[in-house]
Structures are given as C-alpha cells and as structure tokens.
Amino acid sequence: MEQNTKMVSGPSKGLLQSEDLYQYIQETSVFPREPEFLKELRHVTASHPRAMMATSPDAGQMMAMLLNLVNAKKTIEVGVFTGYSLLLTALTIPEDGKIIAIDVNREPFEIGLPVIKKAGVADKIDFIESEALPVLDQLLQNHENEGSYDFAFVDADKVNYWNYHERLMKLLKVGGVAVYDNTLWGGSVAMPEALVPESMKSGRQLTIELNKLLAADQRVQISHASLGDGITICRRLY
C-alpha cells in the first residue's frame, strides 16, 4: 500500500544518518500501523508548501502510545497546522474525550477538517483560532481546570515554548504528559554555530535554551527522543 511513500511523504524529517534506515523504520513499523484516515490526511498535506510543518508519522506513533499509556481523555494541542497530530489524538482518546486545539491560523486546519469529519471525530475537537497564551491563561482562571488534563502536544512558536510549559505544568494532572516537537531543530543544536544556516540560527538558540530548561526542571521526568525533528516527552511528577 505504501509503494509511493517516498513520493507522497515529502522531504524527510528524520535525523538518522541514513535516509534508507529512516525509510526502513517508516515502511516496516510505522506506515503499516498508520490508520487509513491519518494516511489520507498525510497525503493531502504532502502537497502543501509548508508540509514539513506536519507531525512526522514516527513521532505520531509514539504519541498514540503515550496517549494510551496515560489513558488520556482531556488533552490540549498548541499548534495544529492541517491536523495530523490532532486527528491522531482524536482517534486515540475515548468517545467522550475532548481536545482543546489552539492555532493562530484556521486556514491550514480547514485542509484537514474534511478528513477529520470523515473519521467521525470532529465533535471531540474544540478548535480555537487564537494566540495560545491567552487561551491557556483563561483556562487557568477556572481553578477546576488545574490538574485536570491528561496530555498536551506543543508544535508552535518556539519563542513561547517555556511559557507554554509553565502553564501546562499547572493544567496537567500529576502523571500527565506534555510532548514538545522540533526539539532537535533539524540537528542544528549539535552543529558548530558557524555551520548553521542563517535561517535556522534563531530557532536553534531558542531550542538549545529550552532543552536546558527542560533538562533542569525537577517537576518532570523527561525523555528526549530523536523521532521526526526531535520530541521531548515530559511527565509531570508533582
């Protein structure tokens, strides 16, 4: 079924030294388990000029497992794009589960929405077109929301990742999980600065600073995984 995978999936987000090895992982363990609606949304997104912004399927597979492991029912997503990770979450959580999905631009979400509706999970999603910080702050104004969310996924403006983290540490329950995307920034975090393309330098520095802060945060257990463009998994301890 995935004979045309390399054509439709676009440029690789994998950080493995061998592109062939990354394709082997995708074709052997990821694509065969990818739900048909996610395949469809991935293929629809592949023609978008910013398709590289989409969550990579291997990172998505890990997210689905984490959602199951924490029995997630209430989740938050900061940064939606066409909705691959959003659809993945909606397919994984139970029928009465709910997702607060926040993005400053609804237009890319509209590309994926027909697939989400076809999958029958659109009613689980509360899409809010807004900057994320005001929405998270508004949630925190209601003390009943504190410690009530099971899972969060952040793939948005890197300058605010730590601000999102601080708020999510209040919104997530103890044992809840937050996943941050792009935490290896194309591998540039380990490059000598002189070799980093100018267009990546700002994001690289923000990512390096975030990684140091997360590593030092005693409130969370962390795992920094080289899936996609790097994801950092944070489990709230207290």
Side-chain angles (χ1 to χ4, degrees):
M1 283 182 72
E2 286 293 333
Q3 293 177 353
N4 296 324
T5 292
K6 293 184 181 180
M7 178 182 71
V8 300
S9 61
S12 169
K13 289 184 72 173
L15 295 174
L16 293 175
Q17 292 295 312
S18 166
E19 180 67 19
D20 288 338
L21 181 56
Y22 185 64
Q23 285 297 324
Y24 171 82
I25 294 170
Q26 299 275 54
E27 293 169 5
T28 302
S29 302
V30 179
F31 293 141
R33 293 293 191 97
E34 186 181 34
E36 289 302 317
F37 291 116
L38 284 177
K39 277 187 174 67
E40 182 177 351
L41 183 48
R42 175 164 56 85
H43 292 180
V44 167
T45 303
S47 61
H48 193 283
R50 303 185 74 183
M52 284 291 287
M53 289 176 60
T55 303
S56 64
D58 55 330
Q61 187 180 58
M62 172 63 80
M63 283 174 55
M65 182 177 289
L66 292 169
L67 285 159
N68 282 320
L69 285 171
V70 300
N71 296 313
K73 186 174 178 180
K74 288 180 64 180
T75 77
I76 296 172
E77 181 151 336
V78 179
V80 173
F81 192 46
T82 61
Y84 185 92
S85 55
L86 182 60
L87 175 57
L88 179 150
T89 302
L91 289 169
T92 305
I93 63 177
E95 288 300 318
D96 59 345
K98 293 295 180 184
I99 309 163
I100 292 178
I102 313 163
D103 201 298
V104 293
N105 185 4
R106 187 181 175 91
E107 187 175 341
F109 172 61
E110 292 289 342
I111 295 171
L113 187 55
V115 182
I116 293 171
K117 288 181 176 178
K118 191 192 301 186
V121 293
D123 60 336
K124 298 181 183 180
I125 298 165
D126 178 12
F127 183 92
I128 302 172
E129 187 175 19
S130 170
E131 298 283 349
L133 288 177
V135 176
L136 298 177
D137 286 338
Q138 186 175 9
L139 288 174
L140 285 168
Q141 287 178 12
N142 182 350
H143 294 300
E144 291 183 2
N145 286 325
E146 293 184 11
S148 70
Y149 288 86
D150 306 297
F151 185 88
F153 178 59
V154 179
D155 184 7
D157 53 322
K158 310 312 171 198
V159 70
N160 274 313
Y161 264 36
W162 185 253
N163 291 325
Y164 299 145
H165 180 71
E166 288 288 5
R167 287 154 177 81
L168 291 173
M169 286 301 99
K170 298 174 183 176
L171 289 165
L172 286 171
K173 64 176 57 174
V174 172
V177 169
V179 177
Y180 299 95
D181 201 10
N182 306 120
T183 54
L184 293 176
W185 204 244
S188 67
V189 292
M191 292 180 188
E193 188 171 3
L195 300 181
V196 178
E198 194 64 36
S199 62
M200 298 182 70
K201 284 185 177 179
S202 174
R204 171 185 179 268
Q205 189 57 40
L206 289 168
T207 303
I208 288 172
E209 292 170 4
L210 171 75
N211 291 339
K212 289 178 180 178
L213 289 168
L214 292 177
D217 188 353
Q218 297 303 306
R219 296 170 296 181
V220 295
Q221 175 186 12
I222 74 166
S223 176
H224 201 166
S226 56
L227 294 166
D229 191 29
I231 61 171
T232 302
I233 304 161
C234 298
R235 174 176 170 266
R236 184 182 173 189
L237 296 175
Y238 62 85

